[in-house]
Amino acid sequence: AHLTFLFFAFCANIIVTSMLLLGGAATVEALTGVDRRLASFLIPWGVILYTAAGGLKATFIASYIHTTIIFAVLITMILVVYIKVYSSDQIFNFLSHTVAYTDEECAAIYSDPDTGISFYDSSTYACGPVPGNFEGSYLTMLSSDGLMFGIINIVGNFGTVFVDQSYWQSAIAARPSSAAKGYLLGGLCWFAIPFSLATSLGLTSTALMLPITASEAGSGLVPPAVATELLGEAG
């Protein structure tokens, strides 16, 4: 049993670390031009140095700082998207128009302005009806792909909680009376991050029909792309 747990723990940590590194490296490459292989090598060193210097205390302090920054960015982008630049009604209408385009109209939208040659691919860019969604809409909870993602995410994250050592070290370090409350509050705080990210930056990228490919979206480049579109260089 110990060896089985150890094997899955190593697998989980390798996968989670690889996902975080690749996503961060892709974002750094898109924003600065630094090669993602070099970024993948340099990013862990910052974590290694402060963890080696401060131990578990340093990881807790870093988590608090990172969470504060994330929430500050999320609140800023929600205010920019839904109050300063657009409104919820406008985003709703934009999304309705996005799925109403035909393939010919999508090809015209995603084309080179100089040559007129289209680079549109229905499997790459968000334009036209969404296969598997109710009435092809983004504004629905009835989605076969969404259901599949939800099942995979629940199963995957359920397993991660048991074998990812970052959870265990926090549980062991906390007082038993505080552990349950801390995990419940942490779960609520974490839920706000993907929910706010998806309903602000995620929907806006589709509503504005930014030329973001499926692979770029999978690499986590939607937030910086939308922030740059709305705020310019500051984003």
Side-chain angles (χ1 to χ4, degrees):
H2 180 72
L3 292 177
T4 302
F5 180 86
L6 194 63
F7 170 76
F8 282 106
F10 275 123
C11 290
N13 281 275
I14 290 171
I15 293 172
V16 171
T17 303
S18 300
M19 290 168 58
L20 295 174
L21 276 179
L22 291 174
T27 303
V28 170
E29 183 183 46
L31 296 177
T32 65
V34 175
D35 187 270
R36 70 176 61 194
R37 290 168 293 185
L38 179 60
S40 297
F41 174 77
L42 294 176
I43 289 174
W45 282 104
V47 181
I48 292 171
L49 290 176
Y50 77 67
T51 303
L56 188 60
K57 181 180 179 180
T59 64
F60 286 157
I61 293 174
S63 296
Y64 281 120
I65 294 173
H66 295 162
T67 303
T68 302
I69 295 173
I70 289 172
F71 273 95
V73 171
L74 286 177
I75 293 171
T76 300
M77 296 313 303
I78 290 173
L79 292 175
V80 169
V81 170
Y82 289 111
I83 296 177
K84 183 178 180 181
V85 180
Y86 301 105
S87 67
S88 57
D89 289 341
Q90 287 177 304
I91 297 297
F92 182 94
N93 292 332
F94 289 160
L95 289 170
S96 299
H97 293 155
T98 298
V99 299
Y101 289 117
T102 63
D103 287 341
E104 292 75 16
E105 291 172 325
C106 291
I109 293 171
Y110 291 102
S111 61
D112 191 308
D114 297 324
T115 62
I117 299 176
S118 176
F119 51 86
Y120 171 70
D121 182 353
S122 59
S123 63
T124 303
Y125 295 98
C127 184
V130 185
N133 284 21
F134 178 70
E135 295 183 347
S137 174
Y138 287 100
L139 304 167
T140 178
M141 296 295 288
L142 300 178
S143 171
S144 57
D145 288 342
L147 176 63
M148 183 60 66
F149 173 78
I151 294 172
I152 294 172
N153 209 35
I154 290 172
V155 174
N157 287 341
F158 188 82
T160 301
V161 169
F162 284 96
V163 294
D164 189 339
Q165 296 308 299
S166 63
Y167 294 96
W168 283 104
Q169 69 182 15
S170 300
I172 294 171
R175 292 191 300 270
S177 59
S178 303
K181 296 178 182 177
Y183 269 77
L184 288 174
L185 290 174
L188 292 174
C189 291
W190 173 245
F191 173 77
I193 295 174
F195 183 81
S196 302
L197 196 66
T199 54
S200 58
L201 300 180
L203 288 180
T204 303
S205 69
T206 303
L208 300 181
M209 300 183 68
L210 299 181
I212 303 172
T213 65
S215 61
E216 290 171 341
S219 298
L221 299 182
V222 170
V226 177
T228 303
E229 176 72 17
L230 297 177
L231 303 176
E233 289 297 325

